[in-house]
Amino acid sequence: MATVSRVVNNNPNVKPQTRKKVFEAIERLGYRPNAVARGLASKKTTTVGVVIPDISNSIFAEIARGIEDIANMYHYNIILCNADKRKEKEIRVINTLLEKQVDGLLFMGGTVTEEHIQAFQTSAVPIVLCATRDEKGTYPSVDIDHETAALDAVNTLIRHGHREIAMISGTLQDPANGYARFQGYKRALEAAGIEYQEDLVRIGNYRYESGVEAMKYFLGLKKKPTAIFAATDEMAIGAIHSIQDEGLKVPDDFSIISVDNIRMASMVRPLLTTVAQPMYDLGAVAMRLLTKLMKKETVENARVILPHETILRLSVNHVNK
Amino acid sequence: MATVSRVVNNNPNVKPQTRKKVFEAIERLGYRPNAVARGLASKKTTTVGVVIPDISNSIFAEIARGIEDIANMYHYNIILCNADKRKEKEIRVINTLLEKQVDGLLFMGGTVTEEHIQAFQTSAVPIVLCATRDEKGTYPSVDIDHETAALDAVNTLIRHGHREIAMISGTLQDPANGYARFQGYKRALEAAGIEYQEDLVRIGNYRYESGVEAMKYFLGLKKKPTAIFAATDEMAIGAIHSIQDEGLKVPDDFSIISVDNIRMASMVRPLLTTVAQPMYDLGAVAMRLLTKLMKKETVENARVILPHETILRLSVNHVNK
DNA sequence: GAGCTACATCGTAAATGGTTACCGTCAAAT
DNA sequence: ATTTGACGGTAACCATTTACGATGTAGCTC
């Protein structure tokens, strides 16, 4: 038994001739190692748990792809759990993942509350946060700087001469995509000496339809904005279509910019100008970080902020005087 | 030990008072059952393996969501493996999934070859094919009728008076999205007494850009088609933009129809007319089927074809004489 | 050439953390 | 007093890893 184990695990302490015999027996008997028994004996499962808000959301799907590629590269498998940003469900899946003895945990999306921390602490497996962070900054995380990304977006509008800039925001309860991006918007206005006007901000739910609705509202204003900053590409595309459906034009009548750079941003007319967040890399870097933690390597910087980049395409123009 | 096991597994043969004491001890000691040990002893892991071509593809992501929801409902977890339709990688992940003692296997996307069958047969766990099937029909599967879906699409073009109908196809090596949809196109033409013309068919790779390219080709023809059937929505949207970029209009100058009904189909102008395949349901039904198989329930029909539905939106019009 | 050492190789058995078949005990019912 | 069923404990079992020990062999010394 021990020798077979050594052969299967490539332990050098076995004579080549014996190794060959073992391989032959394996072949002849159709033996397949049992990873569950192995996991019990070795206390390692080469499996990591991933909790994700919604795999059918293209942003998370892209991140998940990055996670899976790197996991695969280091011979880990992924147990995937949707949690829909519902705290109760998040806690539940964290616990079942821990029961399954995952070697590490990747937590994406949702807000990290005290209850999450407690659940994390019931176990010693390394945990990294992806596309989110905890308030206190005690856990390793990989994210972008949402506030600065939003600031950059609004600044390119300002550089194009716009001063009547509306925002389609997410809910301010959401720390990253909601609150931080909204803060970026406010800071940009402030830095440019533009007064913040409450009725130039609408709250959406990140989806296309809410972009359409919000834009309808702006189109109904007596004093219309000349540019719109949307917190997500999807809402921006909704806004574009809302404008076009009224017979108006982007960017001639309104400039539009947003944050994300989903694939669809280069599949609309006009091509959407947006601040790109490196989705695949968010997942890949988070997973890479987790592999280091699982191997107990020391990591220099466990709170990484990935750079964003403004992609100038065709939905932003200089303001018409 | 046995009593604790009974309590944890809700076995009725334990006095309420004892049960309570066990629960208290569990609470006090912070005991968490070890699913790996449990899996070894019980020979069940409550985990199913899912091999998927590419989770960042919105179609598969949507299917995966259906799979995960139903799995969750039946208290199974999902080990997710991307395989990119690469046979060698598919075989590899099937084997590692089997090593991990999954209780069932869901195979999506790629062609099912003799080698796949061989890999499947090395194990006794139930297997269901999702969004694909095997030639011989020996494995349970859930899919749509791609050929009829394509036929329906082309028929709605024909009903709108079109007779010069081009197709942007996938590669004919691909049995479902490629070959079957192409066959549907040919059958529809034949039934309407329209001659099949080779130069009205271009092969794309299912993606937006290849739709753009194919349409450019059609626009360069001296005798242009009046309608285009694209094998996927993405290519259809590419075609639409290709047309619009030339200053022409959909559906005034060209009618466009395709198959899939991805979210983006209702996020373009004009709204895309398409034959919807029920992606979420494909995953959900496949997973439900697998749960039955894993519980050794007898299933009446193990080869299910889900219905498709033509969604009339705005990209198809009556032909201009 | 005998004896010893060191090392490579391989086998033994404990350990991993549960499940479950089986058996004994005890109290209630007959 | 006997039977019965609920309850709970004992121990085998699951398939591996791994610490440890046994064996054998080569090389060295004397």
Side-chain angles (χ1 to χ4, degrees):
Chain A
M1 274 172 58
T3 301
V4 174
S5 175
R6 279 185 281 259
V7 170
V8 169
N9 294 302
N10 260 319
N11 183 313
N13 289 342
V14 41
K15 216 191 297 181
Q17 180 186 343
T18 323
R19 182 181 304 271
K20 183 145 167 288
K21 286 202 295 192
V22 171
F23 275 130
E24 282 167 7
I26 284 177
E27 184 67 25
R28 180 159 39 85
L29 305 173
Y31 167 83
R32 190 201 310 271
N34 181 321
V36 173
R38 177 179 291 180
L40 183 62
S42 68
K43 301 182 163 310
K44 279 179 210 119
T45 55
T46 60
T47 302
V48 324
V50 174
V51 0
I52 196 172
D54 176 10
I55 191 62
S56 69
N57 178 317
S58 69
I59 294 179
F60 295 121
E62 186 70 28
I63 298 179
R65 178 71 211 216
I67 293 172
E68 223 273 336
D69 279 0
I70 304 301
N72 191 348
M73 187 177 302
Y74 288 90
H75 302 105
Y76 285 98
N77 289 109
I78 289 297
I79 300 186
L80 212 267
C81 297
N82 288 304
D84 294 304
K85 293 196 184 180
R86 302 207 57 251
K87 180 163 75 173
E88 166 263 331
K89 199 172 177 193
E90 285 170 352
I91 304 290
R92 183 149 44 89
V93 301
I94 289 169
N95 280 313
T96 81
L97 253 11
L98 260 17
E99 279 187 13
K100 297 230 164 170
Q101 313 296 121
V102 293
D103 294 341
L105 201 53
L106 218 48
F107 182 85
M108 304 178 47
T111 312
V112 179
T113 69
E114 198 49 48
E115 282 178 69
H116 290 82
I117 308 276
Q118 278 180 24
F120 292 158
Q121 285 175 344
T122 59
S123 157
V125 306
I127 290 170
V128 356
L129 274 19
C130 181
T132 188
R133 351 182 182 171
D134 61 320
E135 297 269 315
K136 309 214 195 76
T138 52
Y139 282 92
S141 64
V142 178
D143 202 357
I144 64 163
D145 183 341
H146 293 273
E147 183 167 334
T148 308
L151 184 111
D152 290 352
V154 177
N155 273 343
T156 95
L157 257 16
I158 292 171
R159 268 201 311 281
H160 282 77
H162 296 277
R163 299 189 65 82
E164 318 290 320
I165 301 173
M167 172 168 188
I168 307 177
S169 172
T171 168
L172 303 186
Q173 270 66 266
D174 179 353
N177 300 330
Y179 185 75
R181 292 184 183 183
F182 173 68
Q183 283 302 312
Y185 165 74
K186 288 225 292 196
R187 263 182 53 205
L189 294 190
E190 195 177 331
I194 302 172
E195 193 192 354
Y196 168 69
Q197 294 172 254
E198 190 135 355
D199 66 343
L200 285 186
V201 174
R202 295 269 93 185
I203 305 291
N205 65 0
Y206 305 122
R207 310 295 274 194
Y208 178 81
E209 292 75 15
S210 72
V212 174
E213 289 310 313
M215 192 63 217
K216 271 190 196 156
Y217 170 84
F218 293 137
L219 287 171
L221 254 32
K222 55 250 146 253
K223 192 161 181 354
K224 296 179 188 47
T226 63
I228 290 91
F229 164 55
T232 66
D233 284 356
E234 253 200 65
M235 294 196 293
I237 294 171
I240 290 177
H241 289 157
S242 193
I243 292 164
Q244 292 173 339
D245 290 349
E246 292 299 314
L248 298 169
K249 295 204 158 179
V250 177
D252 300 352
D253 298 305
F254 297 94
S255 284
I256 310 277
I257 197 169
S258 54
V259 180
D260 275 350
N261 196 32
I262 58 180
R263 254 171 65 74
M264 215 184 310
S266 36
M267 293 166 62
V268 284
R269 294 301 123 108
L271 295 169
L272 183 64
T273 291
T274 187
V275 176
Q277 72 173 317
M279 292 169 284
Y280 182 92
D281 293 352
L282 281 171
V285 170
M287 186 66 215
R288 180 65 185 106
L289 180 54
L290 186 55
T291 63
K292 284 184 187 163
L293 262 15
M294 290 188 296
K295 286 192 213 151
K296 305 202 185 314
E297 296 176 17
T298 54
V299 303
E300 56 311 335
N301 180 13
R303 299 187 55 83
V304 3
I305 300 294
L306 258 27
H308 54 265
E309 183 193 2
T310 306
I311 313 270
L312 296 172
R313 283 196 277 245
L314 303 174
S315 67
V316 171
N317 220 349
H318 278 88
V319 67
N320 292 329
K321 299 292 169 129
Chain B
M1 272 173 59
T3 302
V4 173
S5 175
R6 279 185 282 261
V7 169
V8 169
N9 294 302
N10 260 320
N11 183 314
N13 288 342
V14 42
K15 217 190 297 181
Q17 182 186 342
T18 323
R19 182 182 304 272
K20 184 146 167 288
K21 285 202 297 192
V22 171
F23 274 131
E24 280 168 8
I26 284 176
E27 183 67 25
R28 181 159 38 85
L29 304 173
Y31 168 81
R32 190 201 311 271
N34 181 321
V36 173
R38 176 181 291 181
L40 184 60
S42 68
K43 301 179 165 310
K44 281 179 209 118
T45 55
T46 60
T47 302
V48 323
V50 175
V51 2
I52 196 171
D54 176 9
I55 192 62
S56 70
N57 177 318
S58 69
I59 294 179
F60 295 122
E62 186 70 28
I63 298 179
R65 178 71 211 216
I67 293 171
E68 223 272 338
D69 279 1
I70 304 300
N72 191 347
M73 188 177 301
Y74 288 90
H75 301 104
Y76 284 97
N77 290 109
I78 290 296
I79 299 185
L80 213 267
C81 296
N82 288 305
D84 294 304
K85 293 197 183 178
R86 303 207 58 250
K87 180 163 76 173
E88 166 263 331
K89 199 171 177 194
E90 285 170 351
I91 304 289
R92 184 150 43 89
V93 301
I94 288 168
N95 280 314
T96 81
L97 254 11
L98 259 17
E99 278 186 15
K100 297 229 164 169
Q101 312 297 120
V102 293
D103 294 341
L105 201 53
L106 218 48
F107 182 85
M108 303 180 47
T111 311
V112 179
T113 69
E114 198 50 48
E115 280 178 72
H116 291 82
I117 308 275
Q118 278 179 24
F120 291 158
Q121 285 174 345
T122 58
S123 156
V125 307
I127 291 169
V128 355
L129 274 18
C130 181
T132 188
R133 351 182 182 171
D134 59 321
E135 297 269 314
K136 307 213 195 78
T138 52
Y139 281 92
S141 63
V142 179
D143 203 356
I144 64 163
D145 182 342
H146 293 273
E147 183 168 333
T148 307
L151 184 111
D152 290 352
V154 177
N155 273 343
T156 96
L157 256 16
I158 292 172
R159 268 202 310 281
H160 281 77
H162 294 278
R163 298 189 63 81
E164 317 292 321
I165 302 173
M167 173 168 187
I168 306 176
S169 172
T171 168
L172 303 186
Q173 269 66 266
D174 178 354
N177 301 331
Y179 185 75
R181 293 183 183 184
F182 174 67
Q183 283 301 312
Y185 165 75
K186 287 226 295 196
R187 264 181 53 205
L189 293 190
E190 195 177 330
I194 301 170
E195 194 192 353
Y196 168 70
Q197 293 173 254
E198 191 135 355
D199 66 342
L200 284 186
V201 174
R202 296 269 94 185
I203 305 292
N205 65 359
Y206 304 122
R207 310 295 274 194
Y208 178 81
E209 292 75 16
S210 72
V212 173
E213 289 310 312
M215 191 65 217
K216 270 191 196 156
Y217 171 83
F218 293 137
L219 288 171
L221 254 32
K222 54 249 147 256
K223 192 160 178 359
K224 295 179 188 49
T226 63
I228 289 91
F229 165 55
T232 65
D233 285 355
E234 253 201 65
M235 293 196 294
I237 295 171
I240 289 177
H241 290 157
S242 193
I243 292 164
Q244 293 173 340
D245 290 350
E246 292 300 314
L248 298 169
K249 293 205 161 177
V250 177
D252 300 351
D253 298 305
F254 296 95
S255 284
I256 310 277
I257 196 169
S258 54
V259 180
D260 276 349
N261 195 33
I262 58 180
R263 254 172 65 73
M264 215 186 308
S266 35
M267 292 167 63
V268 283
R269 294 301 123 107
L271 295 168
L272 182 64
T273 292
T274 187
V275 176
Q277 74 173 315
M279 291 168 285
Y280 182 92
D281 293 351
L282 281 171
V285 170
M287 187 65 215
R288 179 66 185 106
L289 180 54
L290 187 55
T291 63
K292 285 183 186 165
L293 262 16
M294 290 187 296
K295 287 191 212 151
K296 305 202 186 313
E297 297 176 16
T298 55
V299 303
E300 57 309 337
N301 181 12
R303 298 186 58 81
V304 2
I305 302 294
L306 258 27
H308 54 264
E309 181 192 5
T310 306
I311 312 270
L312 295 172
R313 285 195 276 245
L314 302 174
S315 67
V316 171
N317 218 351
H318 278 88
V319 67
N320 293 328
K321 298 293 169 124

